[in-house]
Amino acid sequence: MTSASRILSPSDAERLLALRRMKLIATGLFVLMAVFFVVAFTLQGRFPWLGYVRAAAEGGMVGALADWFAVTALFRHPLGLRIPHTAIIPNRKDEIGASLGEFVETNFLSDEVVAGKLGSIDIAGALGAWVARPENARRVVAEASTAVRGLATMLDDETMRDAIEAVVRTHLVEPEWAPPIGRLGARILDSGGHHEAVDLLVDRLDDWVAANPEAFGALVSARLPSWLPSFVDRLVDDRVYTEVRRFLADVRSDPQHKLRVAIDGYLGELVDRLQNDQPTIAKLEAAKHHAFDDPRVRELAGSAWQAAKTAAVDALADSESELRKRAEAALADAGARLAADRELGAKVNVWITDAAVHLVATYRHDIASVIGDTVTAWDPKETTEKIELQVGKDLQFIRINGTVVGSLAGLAIFTIATALLPR
């Protein structure tokens, strides 16, 4: 223990001191019994009553030696003699570790124990009340910010760009677009939801025509023969402009207008072709792949990641940033709601309990095996020292009790024998 004491923690150093003190007491009591025995054995001829002292001392010595042997045999070979069934802990430490792990697994990690313990605790209420305090919410956000910033600095930009591109391709590009778009369009047409879009388009077109009448001059009169008088050009332009405005007004006011019917027919045919016409589906898929195969899309993914990472890291690094303040406020508010809402708290408690029971049930053996694996990896001498340091002080009381009980037993036997047996 001397070599280990140089690296002991303060608490273990205190235990070592107490262990040595108890060993001295137990050994000193044995020596005292030996002194009494020698004195009584030498003088009992002159003083017969010393026979009782000798018997008590003799029994105390036997009890002390027997219990010293028993305690010592747990940790080492008594007097260095390799007597069978001694040095039990160093010789059987692997079995002890495995048994301890099995004991913990059976008695501490069972579903009933975990569920019962967690069920008796209002975890959600305690957690909510703690997080609801602004200083605690600030602390949680600060620690989370540090962790996220550390993770962000560890991530390689090129790797993240590839990851983003892979995710986009797997979940966005690879699946067919045409049939889902067609089904969505069919539902919109069935519900009449596209009518609002048509109304909006006609309204915007009418507004543009009203604000740009000169556009019809270049469009119509510029194509008339040059020999026509200029007033004819103006009449044609005004007539075309008026007719376009009237046409748009008719479309706006008449839900059954031919243009609306034509649009409905075209859209209905389009959504059907998107779902069932292979050439149409192939064209859309080809256009989609062409767009996403463009190198600029890859550059966009990299730029998006870099911009998001920079913005997030900068915001998380600043304790006064809007992001962190909002996160703190949201966390504190969520904690207050969790602490105040009993129904919500009960649901969260059930969720936590179920999750813990599931984890324990899944990894119970792995958790318990840590004990056995750890003890197996220990050096036998180190294991002996660790265990003796923890329980050795109490075991010394066995030696003391053995001395006392042996003395009383020796005295009782001698007294009874003297009273009952003739001499």
Side-chain angles (χ1 to χ4, degrees):
M1 294 295 293
T2 304
S3 61
S5 64
R6 290 196 293 266
I7 57 174
L8 293 176
S9 65
S11 59
D12 282 347
E14 186 176 346
R15 292 190 185 97
L16 178 60
L17 182 61
L19 172 61
R20 288 174 173 173
R21 187 183 301 117
M22 290 304 301
K23 282 185 175 181
L24 287 176
I25 293 174
T27 303
L29 191 58
F30 168 76
V31 172
L32 182 62
M33 291 294 106
V35 171
F36 285 164
F37 174 78
V38 172
V39 172
F41 184 83
T42 303
L43 301 178
Q44 69 177 350
R46 295 172 54 186
F47 305 99
W49 60 270
L50 286 177
Y52 293 93
V53 175
R54 189 203 70 182
E58 194 173 25
M61 291 170 59
V62 172
L65 286 172
D67 287 337
W68 167 82
F69 183 91
V71 171
T72 303
L74 288 173
F75 304 103
R76 55 188 62 86
H77 298 291
L79 301 177
L81 302 175
R82 294 187 172 275
I83 303 172
H85 305 295
T86 59
I88 295 173
I89 290 177
N91 288 334
R92 300 185 59 189
K93 74 177 181 66
D94 293 351
E95 298 176 37
I96 294 173
S99 298
L100 182 59
E102 183 180 356
F103 176 79
V104 171
E105 178 179 354
T106 304
N107 296 279
F108 292 91
L109 298 178
S110 65
D111 295 351
E112 295 77 10
V113 171
V114 175
K117 184 61 177 178
L118 294 179
S120 65
I121 304 174
D122 183 13
I123 301 176
L127 179 62
W130 187 83
V131 174
R133 297 171 60 184
E135 62 272 19
N136 293 333
R138 190 175 305 111
R139 178 181 175 184
V140 172
V141 172
E143 295 296 337
S145 299
T146 301
V148 172
R149 282 174 16 233
L151 179 63
T153 56
M154 293 172 58
L155 296 175
D156 179 66
D157 291 341
E158 184 68 22
T159 301
M160 286 306 302
R161 184 173 67 179
D162 293 340
I164 293 174
E165 183 180 2
V167 170
V168 170
R169 287 192 175 278
T170 301
H171 298 284
L172 185 62
V173 179
E174 295 301 331
E176 283 191 336
W177 283 17
I181 293 175
R183 290 191 293 269
L184 177 61
R187 286 196 293 269
I188 293 175
L189 291 178
D190 292 340
S191 65
H194 65 293
H195 293 153
E196 294 182 0
V198 174
D199 291 341
L200 180 62
L201 178 62
V202 173
D203 290 343
R204 296 287 78 80
L205 182 59
D206 187 47
D207 292 341
W208 183 85
V209 171
N212 300 275
E214 70 281 356
F216 290 89
L219 182 65
V220 181
S221 61
R223 289 172 171 75
L224 293 176
S226 58
W227 50 266
L228 289 175
S230 59
F231 74 89
V232 175
D233 294 347
R234 288 193 298 273
L235 288 175
V236 172
D237 291 339
D238 293 342
R239 182 65 178 179
V240 172
Y241 175 75
T242 301
E243 290 300 324
V244 170
R245 291 295 308 277
R246 182 181 294 113
F247 177 79
L248 293 175
D250 291 342
V251 174
R252 294 175 65 180
S253 61
D254 185 5
Q256 302 300 323
H257 194 277
K258 292 182 178 181
L259 178 61
R260 290 180 179 273
V261 173
I263 292 175
D264 289 351
Y266 172 75
L267 292 177
E269 181 184 356
L270 178 61
V271 298
D272 180 70
R273 290 168 60 191
L274 287 173
Q275 296 179 76
N276 304 305
D277 184 52
Q278 287 303 320
T280 302
I281 295 174
K283 287 182 181 179
L284 180 59
E285 294 302 312
K288 176 190 68 176
H289 284 286
H290 177 75
F292 279 95
D293 287 339
D294 192 321
R296 288 173 294 184
V297 174
R298 181 176 173 82
E299 294 176 3
L300 178 62
S303 300
W305 159 250
Q306 188 63 43
K309 176 180 138 179
T310 302
V313 169
D314 292 345
L316 293 174
D318 183 7
S319 61
E320 300 300 322
S321 68
E322 187 68 17
L323 176 62
R324 285 184 55 165
K325 287 189 173 297
R326 286 183 179 273
E328 292 168 8
L331 188 60
D333 179 66
R337 290 179 55 195
L338 189 60
D341 191 337
R342 294 296 182 184
E343 183 177 354
L344 176 61
K347 291 181 179 179
V348 172
N349 284 334
V350 170
W351 179 84
I352 293 175
T353 300
D354 291 344
V357 170
H358 172 73
L359 289 175
V360 169
T362 304
Y363 301 103
R364 179 188 296 119
H365 183 71
D366 296 327
I367 296 172
S369 66
V370 172
I371 299 174
D373 294 342
T374 301
V375 174
T376 300
W378 283 349
D379 177 74
K381 182 180 179 181
E382 180 185 358
T383 305
T384 302
E385 293 175 349
K386 285 178 180 290
I387 297 178
E388 185 178 14
L389 200 59
Q390 298 298 320
V391 301
K393 175 185 174 182
D394 296 323
L395 291 178
Q396 298 309 308
F397 281 103
I398 296 178
R399 295 176 58 191
I400 295 173
N401 293 336
T403 304
V404 174
V405 172
S407 298
L408 296 176
L411 178 60
I413 293 172
F414 182 78
T415 302
I416 294 173
T418 302
L420 297 180
L421 300 177
R423 301 183 64 179

